[in-house]
Amino acid sequence: MATWVIASVTWRELVRRKLVFALLALTAIVIGVTGWGFSRVPGLHLDGQPLTQGEIHTAAAQLLLLVMFMFSFVLALTCAFLAAPAVAGDLESGVAQGLLARPLRRRELILGRWLGLALPITVYTVFSTTLEFGLVHWTTGYWPGQPIAAEAALLVEGLVLLTFTLALSTRISAITAGVIAVIAFGTMWLGGVAGAFGQVFHNNAITNVGVVTHFLIPTDGLWHAAVYAMEPSAFATEAARGLGSSFEAASGPTAGYLAWVAVWLVAVLGLALFSFQSREA
Amino acid sequence: MLLGLAQPTSGEGMVLGSPLGTLEARRQVGYLPELFRYQSWLKAREVLGLHCRLAQLERSSWPAAIKGALATVGLSDRADDKVAGFSKGMQQRLGLGVALLGNPRLVLLDEPTSALDPVGRHDVREVVRGLRDQGAAVFLNSHLLSEVELVCDRVAVVDHGRVVAAGRLDELLARPQVRVRCTGLSAEARQALSAFGEITDDEGWLTVGGIGSDRVPDLVRAIVDGGGRVHAVDPGQQTLEERFLQLIEAA
């Protein structure tokens, strides 16, 4: 019950602080701009010849992956900026003292904050990506192979960073937690790029950097899961030949990897609960 | 620690029959923190509503509880204004209102008048007295000892985390004393005054410690009989601040 009270206050804060309005407005702008871009693709010419349907799909898929990469970056930043002050801000300002003096368990405060941020992030991700996929299909006829899996992977990528930042927020200041989270996200992405390089040059040491970063904070691993769900099969074949990049994936995530992501999420959320439980308010 | 905001390193304690820091203990306590901050994007009424929910009050009692708290702390006309527009004093009033929700049996007020003007401080004193009259215990933590002196029945003096003195205010304050400005008193007569209490000289004033107010006329007569001339009599009562400084120096 108290968890939902905290969650509902968090939602109300997002609305009152006009974050929801800002996200809706920016989404509308992005959809408008990318929609115009995708609508031009079928009219393009290559060597004086109009594009074939296959070429249109390939071009649309590449553009979609680029747009979704930008979306995943924006989503990660949004999650980091929302979660960083979620606990640390209340502790620094003194708001937490008033809340925790009530018959409210500390875990209810953390879980309420997590839910209060995770649910709007879920709605935003599903709404934006569905709109973008629909737009691409309407303008170019391309439809990702596994749209629901792609949305799920992007969403969980955001939730991973949200949870990681929230855990940091229980111990360090909001600004530091946010900066660490963004740097960690960028580092994991670079680790993924390094791993792809390692595969191209058959260098096990560099390849392992990518493997480790996929497990350490699974944002890049989930991005590749989203890529696999969105790309045409030709891209996967190309990636399998060792020509992979951040915009191609040879295969989807294994069941073991998905299980690891679930364990990671639960463990880091548990760490946040333990960390907050054992500190002074 | 009473509210579970800090963890004890050892030992145990009870608050109103429940182990300190537990949910049951917190259900019966209202709290105004020294660092009083409330959600700036909420209206005053909404802050109180949030605390009604967290305090697990009966839903049907919320409107009356919120209305009563706002009226008690003088914020009825600002109920639908956002906290962001409140001065520090108004936020402190709101915090006091939050602490009063649900008729708690124990109210902890940490520096409740630090941001208030004289009118606000007077209002807080009235609120504290009202709570006392309703049977609630009020735990007031303050560095403004004149405020403490005006409202508290019992006082504890804390120095570096240790209680150096505690008790009823009238017991805690030093023995009653009277100061007399007099001249022409012979040494023998001055010596005889020690029957009234401990005599000390202070720049022309004689201070007689431990003398009851009913014996002051006898003291004046003894001085006059001893050849002294009385210019002024000051039945001074030691203030809590003076007593506090004494205790801290002694500690």
Side-chain angles (χ1 to χ4, degrees):
Chain A
M1 170 62 186
T3 301
W4 286 106
V5 174
I6 298 298
S8 67
V9 169
T10 306
W11 299 328
R12 195 186 297 185
E13 181 177 7
L14 298 183
V15 174
R16 287 275 172 90
R17 289 191 186 277
K18 299 186 171 52
L19 184 92
V20 171
F21 172 76
L23 284 178
L24 285 175
L26 289 172
T27 302
I29 292 170
V30 169
I31 293 293
V33 170
T34 57
W36 179 84
F38 280 110
S39 71
R40 312 297 292 175
V41 172
L44 294 176
H45 287 72
L46 190 64
D47 298 330
Q49 298 295 314
L51 298 184
T52 64
Q53 194 58 37
E55 288 169 335
I56 290 171
H57 281 189
T58 301
Q62 283 174 330
L63 279 175
L64 175 65
L65 288 169
L66 200 64
V67 168
M68 296 317 288
F69 179 70
M70 186 199 74
F71 174 78
S72 93
F73 184 70
V74 168
L75 183 67
L77 288 188
T78 304
C79 289
F81 289 149
L82 287 180
V87 179
D90 282 355
L91 288 168
E92 287 163 17
S93 68
V95 167
Q97 284 200 355
L99 296 176
L100 292 172
R102 292 294 176 195
L104 170 72
R105 293 178 181 87
R106 290 189 175 206
R107 66 169 178 270
E108 291 171 330
L109 180 64
I110 294 290
L111 291 174
R113 280 302 205 186
W114 191 87
L115 275 175
L117 297 175
L119 289 182
I121 286 293
T122 302
V123 172
Y124 170 59
T125 305
V126 171
F127 174 72
S128 300
T129 51
T130 303
L131 210 58
E132 190 69 31
F133 291 164
L135 184 78
V136 172
H137 181 68
W138 180 51
T139 53
T140 68
Y142 180 72
W143 187 249
Q146 303 171 56
I148 293 175
E151 290 182 2
L154 286 168
L155 170 63
V156 178
E157 182 189 352
L159 295 182
V160 161
L161 207 66
L162 178 78
T163 311
F164 177 67
T165 316
L166 195 71
L168 292 176
S169 174
T170 61
R171 282 286 163 172
I172 55 181
S173 71
I175 190 165
T176 311
V179 167
I180 290 176
V182 170
I183 290 175
F185 175 77
T187 306
M188 295 307 112
W189 181 75
L190 280 176
V193 172
F197 261 115
Q199 283 179 341
V200 170
F201 295 105
H202 303 292
N203 182 309
N204 284 340
I206 299 178
T207 303
N208 286 339
V209 170
V211 174
V212 169
T213 52
H214 277 195
F215 282 91
L216 195 60
I217 301 175
T219 46
D220 193 61
L222 287 162
W223 163 244
H224 275 85
V227 168
Y228 181 75
M230 288 186 288
E231 69 187 0
S233 58
F235 286 22
T237 309
E238 193 174 293
R241 292 209 312 270
L243 302 173
S245 71
S246 278
F247 302 101
E248 289 178 346
S251 59
T254 63
Y257 186 72
L258 294 178
W260 164 251
V261 172
V263 169
W264 190 98
L265 271 172
V266 172
V268 174
L269 192 57
L271 193 67
L273 298 177
F274 173 76
S275 167
F276 192 57
Q277 189 72 36
S278 55
R279 69 160 290 162
E280 288 194 4
Chain B
M1 210 175 287
L2 295 173
L3 294 162
L5 299 176
Q7 306 290 331
T9 50
S10 64
E12 58 186 35
M14 306 291 279
V15 178
L16 302 170
S18 302
L20 53 82
T22 57
L23 296 187
E24 189 49 46
R26 281 185 266 163
R27 272 192 196 98
Q28 307 176 71
V29 180
Y31 175 50
L32 169 64
E34 181 184 10
L35 185 59
F36 50 88
R37 288 290 181 276
Y38 299 92
Q39 292 78 359
S40 60
W41 40 272
L42 285 179
K43 298 171 184 172
R45 187 190 302 283
E46 292 170 336
V47 170
L48 292 163
L50 169 65
H51 282 266
C52 282
R53 294 171 77 185
L54 291 173
Q56 299 167 0
L57 303 184
E58 284 288 332
R59 196 178 191 92
S60 58
S61 72
W62 294 0
I66 293 169
K67 190 177 176 185
L70 287 167
T72 303
V73 299
L75 287 177
S76 296
D77 56 338
R78 304 297 299 268
D80 293 311
D81 290 349
K82 284 188 182 168
V83 175
F86 280 17
S87 66
K88 277 186 78 177
M90 289 166 68
Q91 287 195 43
Q92 196 161 32
R93 283 172 179 269
L94 177 61
L96 184 60
V98 167
L100 300 179
L101 287 171
N103 300 317
R105 292 174 61 199
L106 171 64
V107 181
L108 306 179
L109 305 176
D110 197 351
E111 303 284 2
T113 57
S114 60
L116 297 180
D117 58 20
V119 175
R121 289 202 291 273
H122 173 266
D123 291 348
V124 170
R125 287 197 292 273
E126 291 305 308
V127 169
V128 171
R129 290 186 184 118
L131 287 167
R132 181 183 60 191
D133 294 344
Q134 290 165 23
V138 181
F139 193 106
L140 173 71
N141 176 44
S142 179
H143 288 91
L144 297 172
L145 300 187
S146 56
E147 292 293 323
V148 174
E149 208 166 352
L150 285 169
V151 292
C152 291
D153 301 314
R154 293 178 63 82
V155 174
V157 176
V158 179
D159 180 40
H160 290 90
R162 300 184 71 85
V163 176
V164 295
R168 290 188 58 83
L169 189 60
D170 51 0
E171 293 167 356
L172 194 69
L173 292 177
R175 295 167 302 163
Q177 61 179 19
V178 62
R179 297 169 76 223
V180 183
R181 186 171 180 79
C182 62
T183 54
L185 195 62
S186 66
E188 293 76 21
R190 185 191 177 287
Q191 181 68 29
L193 295 180
S194 57
F196 290 95
E198 187 184 342
I199 309 293
T200 51
D201 286 299
D202 180 20
E203 296 179 358
W205 289 84
L206 275 182
T207 301
V208 184
I211 183 172
S213 57
D214 57 328
R215 297 195 67 203
V216 173
D218 298 334
L219 172 70
V220 172
R221 176 180 296 178
I223 293 171
V224 172
D225 290 348
R229 300 184 66 200
V230 176
H231 301 273
V233 177
D234 174 19
Q237 174 70 41
Q238 191 181 35
T239 65
L240 182 59
E241 187 163 314
E242 289 166 340
R243 182 62 176 146
F244 177 84
L245 291 171
Q246 259 184 5
L247 289 164
I248 296 299
E249 282 169 14

